[in-house]
Amino acid sequence: MADVARAVGVSTGTVSRALRGQPGVSDAMRRRILRAAESLDYVVSPAASGLVTGRTGSVAVLVPFISRWFHAQVLAAAHQVLRGSGFEIVLYHVEGTAERREFFETLPVRRRADGLVVIALSLTDEELARLNGLGMPVVGASTDLGPAPAVGIDDVAGAAKAVRHLANLGHRRIAMIRSTDEEGFHGGVSRRRLAGYEDAMTESGLEVDPALVVSAPWGIDGGARAMGELLSQRTPPTAVFAEADEIAIGALRTLRRAGIAVPGEMSVIGFDDSPMAELLDLTTVAQSVHEQGLIAGRMLVEAVQQARVAEPAVRLETRLVPRGTTSARPGRPGTAG
Amino acid sequence: MADVARAVGVSTGTVSRALRGQPGVSDAMRRRILRAAESLDYVVSPAASGLVTGRTGSVAVLVPFISRWFHAQVLAAAHQVLRGSGFEIVLYHVEGTAERREFFETLPVRRRADGLVVIALSLTDEELARLNGLGMPVVGASTDLGPAPAVGIDDVAGAAKAVRHLANLGHRRIAMIRSTDEEGFHGGVSRRRLAGYEDAMTESGLEVDPALVVSAPWGIDGGARAMGELLSQRTPPTAVFAEADEIAIGALRTLRRAGIAVPGEMSVIGFDDSPMAELLDLTTVAQSVHEQGLIAGRMLVEAVQQARVAEPAVRLETRLVPRGTTSARPGRPGTAG
DNA sequence: CGAATGAACTAAAACCTTTGCGTAAGCGCC
DNA sequence: GGCGCTTACGCAAAGGTTTTAGTTCATTCG
C-alpha cells in the first residue's frame, strides 16, 4: 500500500480510504489511486486489515458429509450468498467422529472467521455450548441450535405427510426405516421424523408396532439391509417410509432383487426429493434444499453485519411428491398411484 | 498473548516460541505457558502472525460443481489431508461462467492462501497464465495445469478401455455421447475421452462415423436427450459409450422408456464408477477419485512446505468394471456379459 | 579461579492497515 | 472581509505476533 501511496503521492491513509470506497477522498484522487493500485497489481493484505479491524472477512461452514447430495446442495447455496456478500468461505468438513471431536475441542474457527454456519448436524448439549461460547454469530441450516438462528423444515410434519399418504392409500402395516447414526450426526432429524411417523399412525388409527421400526446405517446399503429385515418378519408391512431417499433406494434394491413388485406388492416412500428419487421414480417428500442454504447464508450475513437476525427461525414447507413407488394396498380397491 | 505473558511473567517472545514448539524455552516454562494459555482460552491471532510471517496458514480449493459426486469426493479427500497438515481450507465454488470469470479476474486467493488446488476444471490459456502469475503453488486434480503439478488419470486410455470392451463384445456401430460444455468446464476431459474412443475404434478396425458422436448438456437429462438422438438415426448403434456415468444413466432412462432392452438390444457403458453406476448395475470405467484428492492434497502440502513436489505428474490407473449393461452384440454368438 | 560456552529469556523492530484527530484550503454567508 | 463550515488530505497510533540481536546467568573447561 505504501507503494501505491508513493506512486500517487499521497498518504497510505488516503489510499486506504480510496480503496474501500470511504468518504473523504475526492473523485479525481480516488480514480488515480485505483489506477495505480491496478497497475501495481496491489491487493490489500487481509491479515493486516484484519489485525486492525478485528474482522477476518471470512465465514466458516461446518458440514458433515459433503458428498451427500443434501449437504453439497446446502453448502453450494450458502456459498453463493456468502461470496456475494464479499466473504470468503472456510470449510470444515467433519466426516467422522474423530474429526468432529477435533473440531469442537480445538475450535479452529476462533479468530479465523466472523461467523459460522452449521449444516445438518445434530449437536450435543456440550457442542452447542461450545458454539455459543465462540463469540461469533452461528446459524444453522437443517440444524437445531437452540437460541441461535436457524432455517429448516418441520420434520415431524413432513414425515407425517409421507405416512398419511400411505395410510390414505389404505395401508395399515406401515414400516419405517431409520438410520442408526451411532455417531450422532443426524439423530435429531431421525427422531423428529420418527415422531411424525408415530403421529400420523395414531392419527390414522393405526397401531405403532415397534417391530415395524427398523434401523440401519445411513445410505443405500443400510436401506437395503433394513428392507431385508422387514421382509423376514412374520407379518411384513405393505408399505415403508424411509427416513431419506438414499435409504428408500436401498430398500427398492432389496425389493427388486427379492422379486417383490413395487408398488404392486409394496409401497415405498422416501424423504428429501433428491435427483436419485426422481430418476428412480420414487415417491418422496420434497424440501427446498437450495433455499435453506440461501436463507442460512443471508441469516449469517445479517448476523455478522447487523448483529441481529430479523427472522431467526425459518421453517420451510415440505411437499408430498407422489411418484411411481406408492399405490393402494394390495387386495383392496382404491386409488391406484 | 500479552495477557498470557503477563500471567506467567515472561515476555511475549517466549510465549510465542513456547506455543509453537520452538527451541529456546525450558520444558518447565513451556508447560506453565501452555497451561496459562489454556486457562485464558487464548489462541494466537492468525492475522497477526500472518502479518509477520507472510503465510496465511490456509490453502484454497477451486472446484466447479460441488454437488457432483466426483467433485465432492475429490474435495473431501483433499480437505482431509490438508487439514491433517494444519491448513484451513478456503473454498471457491464456481458453478457458472459469471462466478468463474469473477474468480479469474479478481483472483481473490491473492494474499489469502498459501496455495491452491484446482479440481476438475478445464482452463483456458489465459486462466492458466493468471494462475501461474499468482505467486503461490498450484496443483491440479483431474486438471491439466501445464507446468504445475497435477494428478489425474489417462482419459484417452480409459475411454479406449471402455470402447475396446464394446468392440470385443462384437459391437461394430459404437456411439459416443459427449457433453456439450459450452462454458468450458470440462472440455479437456471430454476431448481426451473422445480421442480414446477414436483410438479404440480405429484400432479395432471400426469406422468412426461422425453421426455416432453426439453431444448434449452434462447430466442425466442431457444423456437422455442424446440417446434419443441416436435412436432416431437411420442405423442406430448397438452400443453406446458415455463420457460420464450420469450421462450414461440418462441414456438408460431413454432406453427404458423406449422399451429397448439393455443390454439385450443396446449396450451402455459409462465412466467414473459413481455410486449411481453401481446402483443401476451400469458397466463403467473406474478411477480412484478419492485417491486423486489425497494425492493432490499431499502435492500441495509439499509444494507449500518444501517449495517443490517430488513427483509432479501422477497418473492413476483406470479399470474396466463390467456390469449388467453390456453384452454381446445382438444376433451374434459371443461372450455374453 | 577466570574465561568461554551455551541456554533461557528480554527488548524492540517489523509486518501492513485502519482510523481518530489535526490542519489547511475552499466556500458560502452576512 | 471575517466567520464558521465542509471537504480533502496528512500524521501517527494501534493492533498482535514473529524474530533478530542482545543480555543474563549458570555451567564447563583449562
Side-chain angles (χ1 to χ4, degrees):
Chain A
M1 178 176 280
D3 295 341
V4 178
R6 208 173 312 118
V8 182
V10 294
S11 74
T12 61
T14 303
V15 175
S16 174
R17 274 183 285 260
L19 256 33
R20 288 175 311 131
Q22 289 211 337
V25 185
S26 68
D27 280 356
M29 179 59 79
R30 190 183 303 270
R31 272 192 298 272
R32 284 176 57 199
I33 290 175
L34 287 175
R35 198 146 30 84
E38 171 81 17
S39 80
L40 288 173
D41 193 36
Y42 167 79
V43 285
V44 304
S45 154
S49 65
L51 188 56
V52 25
T53 62
R55 309 186 70 167
T56 64
S58 42
V59 303
V61 177
L62 178 61
V63 56
F65 302 105
I66 220 177
S67 42
R68 291 187 191 168
W69 172 79
F70 182 91
H71 298 210
Q73 206 72 8
V74 176
L75 170 59
H79 179 282
Q80 180 184 328
V81 352
L82 290 169
R83 279 225 46 103
S85 297
F87 291 100
E88 319 288 301
I89 286 81
V90 8
L91 180 70
Y92 295 97
H93 183 218
V94 290
E95 262 190 322
T97 310
E99 294 166 12
R100 176 182 183 155
R101 197 184 43 226
E102 204 255 344
F103 179 89
F104 283 100
E105 271 176 10
T106 68
L107 289 180
V109 271
R110 284 183 292 180
R111 302 248 223 169
R112 282 223 162 248
D114 299 337
L116 171 68
V117 12
V118 182
I119 297 176
L121 194 54
S122 293
L123 301 166
T124 66
D125 287 346
E126 199 196 343
E127 287 170 344
L128 208 53
R130 295 284 285 165
L131 291 188
N132 287 331
L134 220 39
M136 68 176 73
V138 181
V139 320
S142 195
T143 298
D144 188 14
L145 287 178
V151 55
I153 58 168
D154 187 336
D155 285 293
V156 180
K161 283 183 189 178
V163 175
R164 234 180 276 129
H165 172 57
L166 297 172
N168 290 342
L169 287 169
H171 294 278
R172 318 219 47 86
R173 284 191 68 75
I174 301 173
M176 173 170 179
I177 306 182
R178 300 184 61 192
S179 65
T180 43
D181 185 42
E182 302 90 349
E183 306 190 322
F185 277 99
H186 38 264
V189 170
S190 183
R191 267 191 302 279
R192 287 194 294 277
R193 294 189 184 168
L194 173 65
Y197 163 80
E198 292 171 342
D199 285 2
M201 289 295 275
T202 48
E203 170 197 307
S204 308
L206 301 176
E207 175 208 10
V208 176
D209 182 350
L212 287 184
V213 177
V214 298
S215 296
W218 203 96
I220 293 177
D221 288 337
R225 210 160 89 190
M227 191 72 236
E229 200 176 317
L230 287 172
L231 291 179
S232 70
Q233 297 191 351
R234 201 158 350 128
T235 319
T238 64
V240 177
F241 163 52
E243 182 187 304
D245 284 345
E246 277 84 346
I247 296 175
I249 286 165
L252 288 179
R253 196 180 75 189
T254 293
L255 291 167
R256 179 164 20 97
R257 291 187 181 167
I260 295 174
V262 174
E265 299 175 73
M266 180 82 68
S267 285
V268 177
I269 188 168
F271 204 116
D272 286 348
D273 195 23
S274 67
M276 271 193 162
E278 194 195 345
L279 177 72
L280 297 178
D281 203 30
L282 171 71
T283 298
T284 189
V285 175
Q287 57 174 319
S288 22
V289 181
H290 190 74
E291 204 176 344
Q292 288 183 55
L294 294 180
I295 292 177
R298 284 192 217 114
M299 277 178 165
L300 191 60
V301 172
E302 272 186 70
V304 169
Q305 291 177 347
Q306 282 130 50
R308 47 169 259 102
V309 178
E311 201 181 351
V314 176
R315 279 284 164 91
L316 298 182
E317 283 303 303
T318 54
R319 184 171 42 85
L320 178 74
V321 181
R323 292 209 183 93
T325 58
T326 45
S327 69
R329 174 164 67 113
R332 173 181 177 277
T335 47
Chain B
M1 177 177 280
D3 294 343
V4 178
R6 208 172 312 117
V8 183
V10 295
S11 73
T12 62
T14 303
V15 174
S16 173
R17 273 184 291 262
L19 256 33
R20 287 175 310 135
Q22 289 211 337
V25 184
S26 69
D27 280 358
M29 179 58 79
R30 189 181 304 271
R31 273 193 296 273
R32 284 176 57 199
I33 289 174
L34 287 175
R35 198 144 33 81
E38 171 80 17
S39 81
L40 288 174
D41 193 35
Y42 166 79
V43 286
V44 305
S45 155
S49 65
L51 188 56
V52 24
T53 61
R55 310 185 67 167
T56 64
S58 42
V59 302
V61 177
L62 178 62
V63 55
F65 301 106
I66 220 178
S67 42
R68 290 188 190 167
W69 172 78
F70 182 92
H71 297 207
Q73 205 71 9
V74 176
L75 170 60
H79 179 282
Q80 180 184 330
V81 352
L82 290 169
R83 279 224 47 102
S85 297
F87 291 99
E88 318 288 302
I89 286 80
V90 9
L91 180 69
Y92 295 97
H93 184 217
V94 290
E95 262 189 321
T97 309
E99 294 168 10
R100 177 182 183 155
R101 198 185 42 225
E102 204 255 345
F103 179 89
F104 283 101
E105 270 176 11
T106 68
L107 288 179
V109 272
R110 284 184 292 180
R111 304 248 223 168
R112 282 225 162 247
D114 299 337
L116 171 68
V117 10
V118 182
I119 297 177
L121 194 53
S122 295
L123 301 167
T124 67
D125 287 346
E126 200 196 342
E127 287 170 345
L128 208 53
R130 295 284 286 164
L131 291 187
N132 288 330
L134 219 40
M136 68 176 70
V138 181
V139 319
S142 195
T143 297
D144 189 14
L145 287 178
V151 55
I153 59 168
D154 187 336
D155 284 293
V156 180
K161 283 184 189 179
V163 175
R164 231 180 276 131
H165 172 57
L166 297 173
N168 290 344
L169 287 169
H171 293 278
R172 318 221 43 89
R173 285 190 68 75
I174 302 173
M176 174 170 178
I177 306 182
R178 299 182 62 190
S179 65
T180 44
D181 185 42
E182 303 90 351
E183 307 189 321
F185 277 100
H186 38 263
V189 169
S190 183
R191 268 191 301 279
R192 288 193 293 276
R193 292 187 186 169
L194 174 64
Y197 163 81
E198 291 172 342
D199 285 2
M201 289 295 275
T202 49
E203 171 198 308
S204 308
L206 301 176
E207 176 209 8
V208 177
D209 181 350
L212 287 183
V213 177
V214 297
S215 296
W218 203 98
I220 293 177
D221 288 337
R225 209 160 90 188
M227 190 72 235
E229 200 175 319
L230 287 172
L231 291 179
S232 71
Q233 297 191 350
R234 203 160 349 133
T235 319
T238 63
V240 177
F241 163 52
E243 182 186 306
D245 284 345
E246 275 86 346
I247 296 174
I249 286 165
L252 288 179
R253 196 181 74 190
T254 294
L255 291 167
R256 179 164 21 96
R257 292 187 181 168
I260 295 174
V262 174
E265 301 174 71
M266 180 80 70
S267 285
V268 177
I269 188 168
F271 205 117
D272 287 347
D273 195 23
S274 68
M276 270 193 163
E278 194 195 346
L279 177 71
L280 297 179
D281 204 28
L282 171 70
T283 298
T284 190
V285 176
Q287 58 173 320
S288 20
V289 182
H290 189 73
E291 205 176 343
Q292 288 183 55
L294 294 181
I295 292 176
R298 284 192 215 113
M299 278 179 166
L300 191 60
V301 172
E302 272 185 73
V304 169
Q305 291 177 346
Q306 283 131 49
R308 46 170 262 102
V309 177
E311 201 179 350
V314 176
R315 280 283 164 91
L316 298 181
E317 284 303 304
T318 54
R319 186 171 40 85
L320 179 74
V321 182
R323 293 210 182 92
T325 58
T326 45
S327 70
R329 174 163 67 112
R332 173 180 178 279
T335 48

